[in-house]
Amino acid sequence: MRSRPLRSRLTDLISTLGEEATALPIGIFILVSVIKSAIILFVLLTAVAYTVWLERKVVGRMQNRWGPTRVGPFGLLQPAADGIKFLFKEDLTPPHVYKPLFLAAPLIAVIFALTSISVIPFGNSIRLFGYDIPLQITDVNIGLLLILGVTSMGVYGVALAGWSSNNKYSLLGGLRASAQMVSYEIALGLSLVGVLIQSSSFSLRAIVDAQGGRFLGFIPRWNIFHGQFIGFFIYLMAAYAETNRIPFDLPEAETELVAGYHTEYSAMKFAMFFMAEYANMVTVACLATLLFFGGWHGPVFGPPLLQAVLPVFWFVAKVFCFLFLYIWVRGTLPRFRYDQLMDFGWKFLLPLAIANLVATAIAVAW
Amino acid sequence: MNFHLILFLAFGAVCVGGAVNLLAQRHPINSALSLIAVMAALAGEYLLLGAEFVAAVQVIVYAGAIMVLFVFVIMLLNAGEEEETKGSRVAILFGVPGMLIASVLMAWVVLRHSGTEAVAIGALPGNPTDLAQLLFHDFLLPFEVTSVLILIAIMGAVVLASKPDSTAGKVE
């Protein structure tokens, strides 16, 4: 995976660099990659912080209260205040925990949550100083599989946190989380196969490129209007379950399990689980946008600068809609019962996903 | 030394180290985690060979699904630390050198009887398109027969796991 895109991009760089700069192509490549990673990480972490703010604000309004208002205008500085608070709180490690894994679990959760953003494209390439710089950290031809693999490894953070805390509530939360995530991963994966059949590539950039153009001149050729309507809803529900959000938040059900797998965690370690959950939400929203809603495709007009910015704007706007939907659902729906959760995953979503897959395959083969 | 060789050796070291750690650890959960490290390092080796799809599947299926079930079972049974037995001295005296000799011998035979030149990166079908061509075109029948075999294994597991009393004379 690493070698080919790297090499081809290097040769591209060399050809654009011309004579004098050929000594530093790999240096420039690494520099560009580091800068891109830093910017994307910064944007992602800011998005995570402000998704928390948005959630508190929107759920507050839905429950007829104000949400955060004190820190800054509209409570906009609340995420910064929360961050400082988490940093200065006492970092307790209970005496009965299994220490190595208790410390490693939040790290595992947050690292895998942040890794999956690396293959997500958020726009076409831009031209800077004569180089074409793709708006993506790296474009691999198994991009989607990489995300699925990384998210499937993220289960360990939750499961090990629950186990190593040596606490009944935590253990139950960890067990529920691993059972739930393994169950819904199947429906999630199968719901994506329809999209893969239609675009015949695992590369997220290629999947988005396949969705350009229109039907009948005005309906965009996004996958959701292209026969993947059911696939989209299966994906959405399975993804909510994968990220442990209401109505699938049984691993941390407050009314039954105190706080589930992170009962024993405090201060920054607790905040890391929180960050992982919201980063996963952002990834899920990005994937839904890329796979079903045409990624950065949208009306592009105006002067060159506006034309360069608009695709990224459309992408961000769509992702924002999905994040809002997450919060809306949270403010609306009650939690599942555990047997309902398993029945829903195995007896409803899975057969539906298989039926959708078969129907798409027949339609494409026709 | 080229970069690929360095990476190959690094992943190989993680692989062997994880495997040895798996045996050395006394707590089942540590052993399971070392096995995950072995799986992940193997995926890295596949990537180095240009087999992207196999690497991704290795992570998704083995590290992400099967090992989660291992960890799940260990957590569910609350398996504790194993007692340390001194072990038989004969096993250590003869077993470790014997294993070393056997593996060196095997490596030697394999190196002798296969071509000495390394497989070029990307020489084997590794990307999804090539693999799909092989699985769903050239080897379609064996592939489908294998899937039936796995289905039979699943049904066998269900039959063995279901309690005979609960199904008899009881309406769902």
Side-chain angles (χ1 to χ4, degrees):
Chain A
M1 169 191 84
R2 238 334 77 95
S3 67
R4 199 158 316 171
L6 183 86
R7 210 185 304 143
S8 65
R9 215 174 297 164
L10 278 182
T11 46
D12 286 351
L13 266 180
I14 292 166
S15 60
T16 51
L17 278 170
E19 293 302 306
E20 60 258 274
T22 39
L24 270 179
I26 193 145
I28 287 178
F29 172 74
I30 289 172
L31 186 71
V32 169
S33 298
V34 167
I35 292 173
K36 272 199 292 195
S37 309
I39 292 174
I40 290 175
L41 203 60
F42 176 76
V43 171
L44 177 65
L45 290 178
T46 316
V48 165
Y50 278 93
T51 311
V52 178
W53 173 83
L54 186 76
E55 172 153 11
R56 292 175 65 175
K57 214 63 183 161
V58 172
V59 171
R61 293 305 300 163
M62 283 174 182
Q63 295 165 351
N64 212 3
R65 50 190 180 80
W66 282 107
T69 53
R70 300 285 167 139
V71 197
F74 307 106
L76 270 172
L77 293 177
Q78 188 69 40
D82 284 345
I84 293 168
K85 186 183 78 179
F86 278 130
L87 277 176
F88 284 106
K89 272 198 166 181
E90 187 184 358
D91 195 0
L92 280 172
T93 303
H96 51 76
V97 301
Y98 183 60
K99 222 167 175 186
L101 291 182
F102 185 78
L103 299 181
L107 276 178
I108 294 174
V110 85
I111 286 173
F112 283 116
L114 295 182
T115 307
S116 45
I117 206 79
S118 63
V119 292
I120 288 193
F122 46 92
N124 268 320
S125 52
I126 51 166
R127 276 192 88 74
L128 268 186
F129 309 116
Y131 308 124
D132 263 333
I133 297 172
L135 293 179
Q136 182 179 16
I137 294 180
T138 177
D139 182 22
V140 291
N141 65 8
I142 49 161
L144 187 59
L145 287 178
L146 195 81
I147 289 184
L148 289 181
V150 167
T151 39
S152 70
M153 295 289 282
V155 184
Y156 290 115
V158 175
L160 292 177
W163 180 81
S164 66
S165 294
N166 201 3
N167 170 323
K168 279 176 196 149
Y169 297 121
S170 301
L171 181 67
L172 281 172
L175 284 175
R176 279 183 178 187
S178 36
Q180 176 179 327
M181 283 160 130
V182 167
S183 306
Y184 277 79
E185 222 161 58
I186 302 168
L188 183 88
L190 280 175
S191 73
L192 301 179
V193 180
V195 172
L196 293 176
I197 290 175
Q198 284 184 354
S199 49
S200 60
S201 175
F202 284 117
S203 157
L204 291 166
R205 189 167 284 276
I207 291 173
V208 172
D209 286 340
Q211 298 177 62
R214 315 235 147 143
F215 292 122
L216 306 172
F218 67 98
I219 305 171
R221 230 183 121 82
W222 299 344
N223 276 328
I224 186 161
F225 303 125
H226 194 192
Q228 289 307 313
F229 192 70
I230 295 172
F232 168 68
F233 278 98
I234 298 168
Y235 169 78
L236 200 66
M237 285 184 265
Y240 278 34
E242 282 285 300
T243 43
N244 296 330
R245 294 280 303 181
I246 284 178
F248 300 100
D249 68 333
L250 286 105
E252 43 187 308
E254 301 92 345
T255 42
E256 308 156 27
L257 296 180
V258 189
Y261 60 90
H262 54 59
T263 304
E264 297 285 3
Y265 283 88
S266 59
M268 213 52 210
K269 291 213 270 308
F270 166 74
M272 280 159 108
F273 282 117
F274 224 67
M275 269 160 63
E277 182 179 325
Y278 281 84
N280 280 330
M281 274 168 66
V282 173
T283 309
V284 161
C286 288
L287 264 191
T289 306
L290 292 170
L291 296 175
F292 296 99
F293 279 82
W296 54 85
H297 288 304
V300 173
F301 49 83
L305 188 66
L306 192 65
Q307 282 190 6
V309 174
L310 267 178
V312 179
F313 170 77
W314 289 125
F315 178 76
V316 172
K318 289 172 192 174
V319 170
F320 176 82
C321 289
F322 278 109
L323 289 176
F324 187 82
L325 186 67
Y326 253 115
I327 297 166
W328 193 358
V329 167
R330 185 202 155 155
T332 312
L333 291 179
R335 184 179 299 134
F336 271 101
R337 217 170 54 214
Y338 198 71
D339 58 320
Q340 291 172 331
L341 173 93
M342 282 296 160
D343 276 359
F344 185 68
W346 287 103
K347 294 182 185 166
F348 179 71
L349 280 189
L350 184 61
L352 196 65
I354 293 174
N356 178 53
L357 168 61
V358 171
T360 313
I362 290 172
V364 169
W366 207 258
Chain B
M1 229 159 64
N2 67 27
F3 201 59
H4 260 95
L5 191 60
I6 296 171
L7 280 178
F8 173 80
L9 290 177
F11 281 125
V14 173
C15 231
V16 174
V20 170
N21 192 38
L22 182 142
L23 297 174
Q25 287 292 337
R26 279 191 296 149
H27 202 292
I29 212 132
N30 289 339
S31 297
L33 291 179
S34 341
L35 191 52
I36 295 167
V38 174
M39 303 286 187
L42 269 181
E45 299 280 32
Y46 292 143
L47 272 187
L48 286 179
L49 284 172
E52 299 126 358
F53 185 79
V54 181
V57 169
Q58 168 86 10
V59 171
I60 295 173
V61 174
Y62 283 97
I66 291 181
M67 287 316 296
V68 169
L69 292 182
F70 272 50
V71 171
F72 185 82
V73 169
I74 292 170
M75 281 163 57
L76 196 66
L77 300 179
N78 207 5
E81 224 168 87
E82 283 173 13
E83 269 179 48
E84 182 154 37
T85 56
K86 287 283 163 241
S88 73
R89 200 155 295 163
V90 184
I92 295 169
L93 272 180
F94 292 96
V96 175
M99 191 198 68
L100 281 178
I101 291 170
S103 46
V104 168
L105 212 65
M106 240 151 66
W108 184 70
V109 169
V110 168
L111 280 179
R112 255 322 265 273
H113 289 274
S114 62
T116 42
E117 73 270 29
V119 180
I121 299 146
L124 298 173
N127 71 36
T129 322
D130 293 348
L131 211 69
Q133 189 66 27
L134 286 177
L135 277 184
F136 296 108
H137 193 264
D138 298 359
F139 299 107
L140 181 63
L141 185 67
F143 180 71
E144 292 298 335
V145 171
T146 312
S147 67
V148 173
L149 199 66
I150 292 172
L151 183 68
I152 292 170
I154 294 172
M155 284 158 65
V158 171
V159 169
L160 287 177
S162 66
K163 291 178 196 131
D165 301 3
S166 62
T167 47
K170 202 176 175 187
V171 186
E172 277 275 336

